[in-house]
Each structure stands twice: as structure tokens, then as C-alpha cells.
Amino acid sequence: MKTIAITLLFSLSISVSFAQLVSLNATEITALKQQIKKDGRAKKLYANFKILADAYLDEVPNPVDTIRTEGLLKGNPKKERTALALKDMNKMFILALEFKITGERKYLNKSNEFLIAWAKLNQPNGDPIDDTNLDNAIEAYDLIKENIPASDKIIITDWLKRTALAEINSKRMNRNRGTGINNWNAHRLKIVGEIGYALNNKEFIDWTIDRFKKHIEVNLNEDGTSLDFKDRDAMHYHIYDLEPMLKLALLIKRAGGEDFYNYQSPKLSSIKNLLSG
């Protein structure tokens, strides 16, 4: 599971806020390899991680034409089919990271195989609650994009561009209410931002930053509450709004952009207040 990878990375005190920009850059990969070599706990965690990576070499990609999770009850055939397919996300990320650690192309080729399979079949539907599941795919691509054939890179980038554009052009996005301003929008901004930085697409990046400022103003309150918390009276939705905003703020800061953690909207709302409120 990717949980092992994240635990390993955090144990090394390495910034994991989604680099090259969206995954890990060369300096961080080098530091990770050194820590695995020197630190006993890291070495043990990595041993478990490698077992997973090796097992995934024998797996076959299982993409789905349309991701369907949002609004469907447990047991719905479309939801169950999607749940099985989304297991590919961890696999392609772990394979990509193992390639960066070992340099062995068998892991690169397998991660690329998973990405290509999804890029050829999956059709984005502009639903951010469905698309938020693509984090690991975007991070996997970001890790190996300089190492895969140009023809494959075109196929994958086209898929990611279509995913971002489906979110940007969603009718729900253009409504200044409901899913256009609640936690859905936070996930929408995160996905478009991740794709923008992974593809170095200035249009997507500028779009995300402009609307991120508005989201902080409309969705967050000065007292640290969120629109989702007040509408739903549930901490779950408050956190579900916070998580993608934090991830996006870290990504923008990592890219040398504005500090959105401390950014205050005209009404003095901020992500910082959201955490301390």
C-alpha cells in the first residue's frame, strides 16, 4: 500500500509535498536512498515496500472507462467496479517510486504500462469527487515523465489534460453555489493544480491560483469554520474540504508561489484559521 511509502518518507524527515513538483525531486530521491541505506527503521520499511513493488510486476492493469464513486451506495455495481480499478493507483505510484530508488527499468516499464492503460481507456466526467482518486496516477507520472518514451508521454498528458479541462468546464464549477463552492471545489482545484504543475501547464496553474483565492474567501470564515462545516454540521466534511486545500497550498509553495497557508482573503479567512479555529 502507498501508506508504507508515505510512512517511509515521513520517517526520513524529507519533504514529501508532491514534487518534481508533484512527486519527489532528484535531491529528495538521493536523500531517501541514503536514509534507506543508513537507517535501520527506514531499511525495514523499505523491505516491505519492495515486496509490494515486486508483487505488482506480475499484476495486469485494470482500468475503468469512467470513475464512479460519488453519490453511489456501497454495493452498487459501478461503485464496486471502480473500487477494484482504483487499486491500480497505488500500484503505479509504488512501481514508479521503486524505479527512482533502484533505477531498474522493469519497475519503470510496469508503472508506465498502468498509466498507458488508464490513459487509453478512462474518460473524465468532470466530477472532482471521482477525479480526486487520481492523485497517485499524477504523482506516478510526475516521477517517471522524463524516463518514458515520447509517444507514451503524449498519450498520458492528453488524458491528464482532458481530465483538467473536464473539471474546468464543468457546469457545476460555474455555479457560485453548492458544489461550485463547497468541498467539491477544493478537490477540483487540487486536481487541476496537480495536473498543471505535473505538465508545466501555465493555463491550468493560473486558473487554479486565481480560483483558490476565491475559494478561501467564499468557503472559509474568519472564525476558522468552513461552509461545509456549517452546512453539514459534520467534522468529516470540514476535514474533507481542508485536506485538498492543504495539499494544494503545499504544492504552490513548493513551486515558489504564494504562501496560501497564511494567505488571508478580504474577509480575513484563511487556511491557517481553519486549522486553529
Side-chain angles (χ1 to χ4, degrees):
M1 293 176 64
K2 190 182 176 187
T3 302
I4 293 177
I6 292 174
T7 302
L8 176 59
L9 293 171
F10 271 114
S11 76
L12 310 182
S13 299
I14 292 174
S15 170
V16 293
S17 35
F18 311 97
Q20 285 222 303
L21 293 166
V22 186
S23 56
L24 294 175
N25 61 34
T27 300
E28 292 163 332
I29 292 294
T30 298
L32 175 60
K33 290 192 287 187
Q34 290 175 347
Q35 196 72 13
I36 290 170
K37 185 177 180 179
K38 297 177 180 178
D39 184 270
R41 182 169 180 266
K43 188 178 294 186
K44 185 176 180 180
L45 285 167
Y46 173 66
N48 292 329
F49 179 84
K50 190 176 188 305
I51 288 171
L52 288 176
D54 288 339
Y56 295 154
L57 289 171
D58 297 323
E59 299 269 345
V60 176
N62 184 31
V64 65
D65 57 357
T66 306
I67 297 173
R68 290 298 312 277
T69 59
E70 182 272 321
L72 300 180
L73 297 176
K74 184 177 180 180
N76 182 290
K78 292 181 180 179
K79 190 179 184 76
E80 295 298 314
R81 171 69 181 93
T82 293
L84 288 174
L86 288 177
K87 291 181 179 180
D88 282 1
M89 299 295 117
N90 279 345
K91 295 173 185 178
M92 63 180 76
F93 172 81
I94 287 174
L95 288 161
L97 184 55
E98 181 66 4
F99 163 67
K100 300 302 287 189
I101 293 171
T102 66
E104 296 184 36
R105 295 191 67 85
K106 60 183 179 181
Y107 300 109
L108 167 68
N109 295 338
K110 197 65 179 183
S111 182
N112 189 40
E113 179 185 331
F114 274 92
L115 280 164
I116 286 292
W118 275 82
K120 287 183 175 180
L121 181 64
N122 183 250
Q123 298 299 319
N125 64 5
D127 186 320
I129 305 306
D130 290 336
D131 287 344
T132 200
N133 293 287
L134 296 176
D135 282 359
N136 292 355
I138 300 167
E139 293 166 32
Y141 172 71
D142 196 52
L143 279 169
I144 66 173
K145 62 187 178 185
E146 303 304 327
N147 305 103
I148 61 177
S151 57
D152 290 348
K153 192 172 181 178
I154 290 171
I155 293 170
I156 298 167
T157 57
D158 177 69
W159 171 50
L160 295 178
K161 285 179 182 177
R162 287 187 287 109
T163 300
L165 288 171
E167 292 293 349
I168 290 171
N169 295 320
S170 170
K171 292 181 180 178
R172 296 170 180 175
M173 169 63 206
N174 295 323
R175 298 184 303 189
N176 195 31
R177 57 186 174 85
T179 58
I181 59 175
N182 68 4
N183 66 83
W184 282 47
N185 196 47
H187 286 272
R188 177 183 294 114
L189 295 173
K190 180 205 67 173
I191 287 294
V192 177
E194 287 177 329
I195 292 173
Y197 284 107
L199 303 186
N200 193 25
N201 186 306
K202 188 175 185 300
E203 177 186 351
F204 293 163
I205 293 170
D206 290 347
W207 183 92
T208 300
I209 290 174
D210 178 63
R211 283 155 181 79
F212 196 18
K213 291 179 178 179
K214 182 169 180 60
H215 185 78
I216 291 172
E217 179 180 0
V218 173
N219 186 273
L220 305 184
N221 302 308
E222 184 182 358
D223 64 1
T225 60
S226 64
L227 173 70
D228 293 87
F229 182 76
K230 291 199 168 183
D231 281 356
R232 303 291 191 103
D233 192 24
M235 186 59 71
H236 167 77
Y237 289 100
H238 183 71
I239 294 172
Y240 198 56
D241 202 9
L242 170 63
E243 289 176 337
M245 284 194 282
L246 274 174
K247 191 169 185 179
L248 180 56
L250 285 168
L251 175 55
I252 294 170
K253 181 69 173 177
R254 185 177 178 89
E258 191 167 352
D259 178 4
F260 273 96
Y261 177 75
N262 289 298
Y263 168 83
Q264 285 191 327
S265 73
K267 70 177 187 182
L268 302 182
S269 58
S270 69
I271 295 174
K272 183 177 181 180
N273 287 350
L274 184 65
L275 283 170
S276 59

